[in-house]
Amino acid sequence: MPSQSEFPLEGGCGCGNVRYRIETAPVFVHCCHCRWCQRESGSAFVLNAIIESDRVSHLREEPEVILTPSESEAGQKIARCRDCKVAVWSNYCNAGPVLRFIRVGTLDQPDRITPDIHIYVASKQPWVILPQGPPAVEEFYKVDEFWPAHGLERLEALKPKIDAYHAASKCS
């Protein structure tokens, strides 16, 4: 993970109509190898930088948000460019619009963000060799076991917003 002094970072879709800036370092970064992410991304895995929505600035057009199925059956909302349809981030039912899962590949400098953890490695493609360093777990994990203290503090600060979202939605 780059130091806070290396932020903000900008990114966007393929055609350039959707542009955004992450103002601070993400809370945590997943490299997800589940079959659902493989299908959704058309790749062997997806790299998501988890960050508070209010730390993401829109620089051009707002993306279109599309509810798509998910393995959890709660669905996920994927923000896509209205024109080129590139997915720039997702929101999941557990935190709703409060947290964004930025698709790291849409950053102008995606190499600046590396995974903190590899998840769902039980379903990773057999030819993918995981690097030394970040932990790798068979499925998902307990946040309080892997997130750093500063990430847990940021998550705790969001709890009232997340609770309000759950109270007003069908998510549980």
Side-chain angles (χ1 to χ4, degrees):
M1 177 83 64
S3 71
Q4 187 56 51
S5 64
E6 297 181 61
F7 287 86
L9 292 176
E10 293 186 7
C13 67
C15 71
N17 286 341
V18 172
R19 295 288 301 159
Y20 67 87
R21 177 185 306 122
I22 57 174
E23 303 292 348
T24 66
V27 176
F28 203 64
V29 180
H30 290 166
C31 185
C32 184
H33 298 268
C34 79
R35 297 294 177 171
W36 205 271
C37 282
Q38 290 175 34
R39 181 179 300 109
E40 178 62 41
S41 68
S43 186
F45 53 83
V46 68
L47 193 58
N48 288 314
I50 305 166
I51 189 167
E52 300 92 328
S53 296
D54 63 4
R55 295 183 185 207
V56 180
S57 299
H58 296 269
L59 304 176
R60 289 205 189 124
E61 289 182 22
E62 295 264 340
E64 157 182 49
V65 178
I66 302 165
L67 179 63
T68 64
S70 68
E71 193 167 22
S72 71
E73 297 182 7
Q76 68 173 304
K77 291 183 177 177
I78 300 178
R80 295 181 178 276
C81 172
R82 294 177 192 281
D83 296 316
C84 70
K85 305 299 184 199
V86 166
V88 289
W89 63 73
S90 294
N91 297 99
Y92 294 90
C93 193
N94 60 347
V98 179
L99 285 176
R100 289 192 178 154
F101 288 64
I102 301 287
R103 303 281 174 95
V104 172
T106 66
L107 288 167
D108 296 342
Q109 299 172 310
D111 53 312
R112 302 277 292 279
I113 295 183
T114 58
D116 293 310
I117 194 168
H118 289 267
I119 61 175
Y120 292 98
V121 298
S123 56
K124 78 172 184 61
Q125 293 297 313
W127 48 264
V128 171
I129 308 300
L130 299 178
Q132 295 292 323
V137 294
E138 293 292 303
E139 292 185 0
F140 203 69
Y141 61 93
K142 293 182 180 177
V143 169
D144 57 352
E145 289 181 18
F146 288 92
W147 283 27
H150 68 85
L152 293 172
E153 289 168 10
R154 286 167 65 179
L155 185 61
E156 186 62 29
L158 294 174
K159 192 159 179 20
K161 289 181 181 179
I162 293 170
D163 290 346
Y165 165 73
H166 283 277
S169 75
K170 291 186 272 185
C171 291
S172 55

